[in-house]
């Protein structure tokens, strides 16, 4: 493999670092490529990606591979962040990491990697891939707890050509052990969590910079005012904490949870106690992307509506407009519009779509 070049997407974390080290050990000509997607300082006045880039340099020097940095902040702002803000304005709950994979990492980033002479492109995602019969099959990872196929549900089949996922058959503990073996300086670095461009900052403070916030009423389903919110966009479906409503606001004493948001009226709708009203049996998606086309328009499948959620049994129907209707075997809690419903056929991730409504 000494004449085959692999460009590895480097994040500064342990997963991409071990991916690069493994590929070099296997004899590939490995190049590290760090993408800068966000140009903003955090609350302490530091560039949010500065430490990650520093770590990338340390990692690549340690495993002795060349490395580059490329700026995709303009593409990210246009194709990912703008939609993120627009979705929140609609009262929905978007997932920017999903769009980042399709619009940046497996788009402009992959194109740039090929300009560097890449025969293959690799990332530290926990998933597997099979190239067969001229098509690509995205498979769930060996480590089900770390499986990241959910975040890749919007990637086109053609974007997976010549892509490698070195960690697909490994579990996280083994990855860290390998990092120690290779002497990688970020072997103990914590995994990144949450939305990448927010980092450790207060989410409310961040979002209020882009969406005007104003206080409004917190109401029950029958219109009774039980409290006040500081901005309806801050809350998520099913949320129980941080509502600022006393448990005895109506004499019940049970905990409150978010049932819905009325953006036009600037009202947060809540319920108390038994939350069966939050469970839905069916949902309909929009903009569904099939990585692998199903054999028929109706089929039994497994579905995940949140990352790391246990796979749920369901029946899917592809509608004439391309949307997908999903009927679950068991009702699902807090099916949030704006998030993604991702469909699987056993190990194969067939694709996903944005949840439009649930009943």
């Amino acid at each position: 493999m000494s004449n085959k070049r692999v460009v590895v997407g480097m994040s500064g974390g342990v997963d991409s670092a071990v991916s690069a080290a493994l590929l070099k050990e296997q004899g590939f000509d490995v190049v590290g490529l760090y993408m800068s997607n966000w140009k903003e300082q955090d609350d302490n006045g530091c560039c949010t990606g500065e430490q990650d880039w520093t770590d990338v340099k340390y990692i690549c020097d340690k495993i002795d591979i060349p490395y580059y940095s490329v700026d995709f902040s303009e593409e990210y702002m246009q194709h990912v962040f703008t939609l993120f803000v627009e979705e929140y304005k609609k009262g929905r709950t978007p997932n920017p990491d999903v769009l980042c994979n399709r619009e940046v990492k497996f788009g402009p980033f992959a194109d740039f990697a090929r300009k560097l002479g890449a025969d293959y492109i690799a990332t530290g995602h926990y998933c597997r891939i099979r190239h067969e019969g001229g098509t690509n099959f995205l498979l769930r990872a060996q480590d089900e707890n770390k499986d990241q196929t959910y975040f890749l549900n919007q990637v086109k089949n053609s974007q997976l050509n010549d892509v490698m996922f070195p960690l697909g058959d490994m579990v996280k503990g083994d990855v860290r052990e390998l990092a120690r073996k290779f002497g990688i300086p970020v072997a103990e670095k914590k995994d990144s969590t949450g939305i990448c461009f927010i980092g450790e900052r207060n989410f409310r403070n961040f979002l209020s910079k882009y969406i005007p916030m104003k206080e409004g009423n917190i109401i029950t389903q029958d219109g009774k005012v039980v409290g006040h919110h500081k901005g309806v966009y801050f809350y998520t479906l099913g949320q129980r904490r941080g509502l600022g409503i006393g448990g005895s606001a109506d004499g019940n004493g049970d905990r409150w949870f978010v049932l819905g948001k009325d953006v036009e009226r600037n009202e947060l709708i809540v319920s108390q106690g038994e939350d069966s009203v939050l469970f839905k049996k069916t949902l309909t998606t929009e903009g569904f992307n099939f990585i692998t086309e199903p054999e028929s328009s109706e089929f039994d499948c497994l579905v995940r509506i949140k990352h790391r959620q246990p796979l749920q049994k369901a029946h899917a129907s592809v509608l004439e407009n391309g949307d997908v209707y999903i009927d679950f075997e068991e009702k699902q809690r807090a099916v949030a519009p704006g998030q993604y419903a991702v469909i699987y056929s056993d190990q194969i991730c067939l694709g996903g779509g944005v949840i439009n409504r649930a009943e």
Side-chain angles (χ1 to χ4, degrees):
M1 297 297 179
S2 60
N3 63 336
K4 295 292 185 180
R5 171 165 288 191
V6 183
V7 173
V8 181
M10 304 295 292
S11 66
V14 66
D15 295 330
S16 58
V18 170
S19 296
L22 283 172
L23 289 167
K24 183 179 180 183
E25 187 177 60
Q26 293 167 15
F28 289 98
D29 172 23
V30 180
V31 175
L33 181 57
Y34 173 78
M35 63 176 181
S36 175
N37 291 336
W38 192 253
K39 295 294 185 184
E40 186 183 50
Q41 294 181 338
D42 62 19
D43 293 337
N44 297 317
C46 299
C47 177
T48 53
E50 192 172 286
Q51 183 59 54
D52 289 335
W53 172 231
T54 298
D55 288 340
V56 167
K57 291 186 285 186
Y58 285 149
I59 293 164
C60 294
D61 284 340
K62 178 62 180 179
I63 61 180
D64 193 23
I65 62 171
Y67 54 89
Y68 302 88
S69 176
V70 60
D71 184 354
F72 289 124
S73 57
E74 183 176 338
E75 290 87 346
Y76 192 92
M77 177 64 72
Q78 181 178 350
H79 299 294
V80 180
F81 185 72
T82 298
L83 180 60
F84 170 85
V85 173
E86 290 303 315
E87 285 287 273
Y88 261 105
K89 286 180 178 179
K90 296 175 184 176
R92 308 214 305 182
T93 308
N95 190 316
D97 292 336
V98 173
L99 282 178
C100 179
N101 281 319
R102 185 185 73 187
E103 300 292 343
V104 183
K105 189 169 291 183
F106 291 89
F109 178 89
D111 293 339
F112 190 89
R114 292 186 179 97
K115 291 179 182 178
L116 293 176
D119 296 292
Y120 301 99
I121 295 158
T123 73
H125 283 101
Y126 283 84
C127 55
R128 294 174 293 150
I129 193 165
R130 186 172 79 233
H131 307 287
E132 186 178 287
T135 190
N136 308 302
F137 297 92
L138 182 65
L139 309 175
R140 288 156 49 197
Q142 180 70 29
D143 189 341
E144 190 66 31
N145 185 55
K146 295 296 294 183
D147 177 66
Q148 292 176 305
T149 50
Y150 181 89
F151 296 113
L152 296 172
N153 78 82
Q154 288 293 294
V155 173
K156 302 298 181 183
N157 194 282
S158 60
Q159 290 179 301
L160 295 174
N161 293 337
D162 303 322
V163 169
M164 305 170 75
F165 299 116
L167 307 186
D169 291 312
M170 302 179 65
V171 297
K172 185 70 179 193
D174 293 339
V175 171
R176 290 201 181 276
E177 187 58 38
L178 275 175
R180 299 182 191 104
K181 170 191 168 184
F182 288 124
I184 291 173
V186 296
E188 310 303 329
K189 186 176 181 179
K190 292 182 179 180
D191 291 342
S192 59
T193 58
I195 300 172
C196 57
F197 48 76
I198 295 177
E200 301 298 325
R201 287 174 291 182
N202 181 283
F203 177 73
R204 293 190 174 192
N205 291 343
F206 176 85
L207 197 61
S208 63
K209 295 179 181 179
Y210 300 93
I211 304 177
M213 301 288 176
K214 61 179 180 179
E215 293 187 1
N217 291 330
I218 300 177
I219 65 171
T220 61
Q221 286 180 280
D222 58 6
K224 179 182 178 181
V225 177
V226 293
H228 299 88
H229 64 75
K230 296 183 179 181
V232 72
Y233 309 102
F234 292 137
Y235 302 88
T236 59
L237 200 64
Q239 180 177 332
R240 293 179 181 274
R241 297 182 179 180
L243 302 183
I245 311 173
S248 58
D250 69 349
N252 183 314
D254 290 332
R255 295 181 66 180
W256 295 89
F257 62 89
V258 175
L259 186 59
K261 294 181 280 187
D262 189 329
V263 174
E264 291 186 2
R265 296 171 62 89
N266 194 35
E267 292 177 334
L268 187 68
I269 306 166
V270 297
S271 187
Q272 190 177 26
E274 177 56 51
D275 60 357
S276 60
V277 292
L278 200 61
F279 283 77
K280 306 297 182 182
K281 183 71 162 53
T282 67
L283 65 82
T284 303
T285 69
E286 61 184 41
F288 200 94
N289 170 62
F290 276 111
I291 301 171
T292 302
E293 292 287 342
E295 295 182 358
S296 64
S297 60
E298 290 196 26
F299 53 94
D300 292 328
C301 59
L302 300 171
V303 180
R304 182 174 277 145
I305 58 174
K306 298 180 181 69
H307 175 49
R308 288 185 178 173
Q309 177 201 31
L311 289 164
Q312 305 294 305
K313 293 182 179 180
H315 185 80
S317 302
V318 182
L319 307 179
E320 290 185 359
N321 64 358
D323 294 340
V324 175
Y325 175 82
I326 298 172
D327 187 350
F328 290 96
E329 188 173 282
E330 297 182 359
K331 290 185 176 182
Q332 304 296 304
R333 185 182 187 277
V335 183
Q339 287 281 16
Y340 289 86
V342 183
I343 293 178
Y344 298 81
S345 174
D346 192 16
Q347 294 293 318
I348 301 173
C349 177
L350 298 180
V354 177
I355 298 170
N356 185 26
R357 63 180 184 275
E359 298 178 354

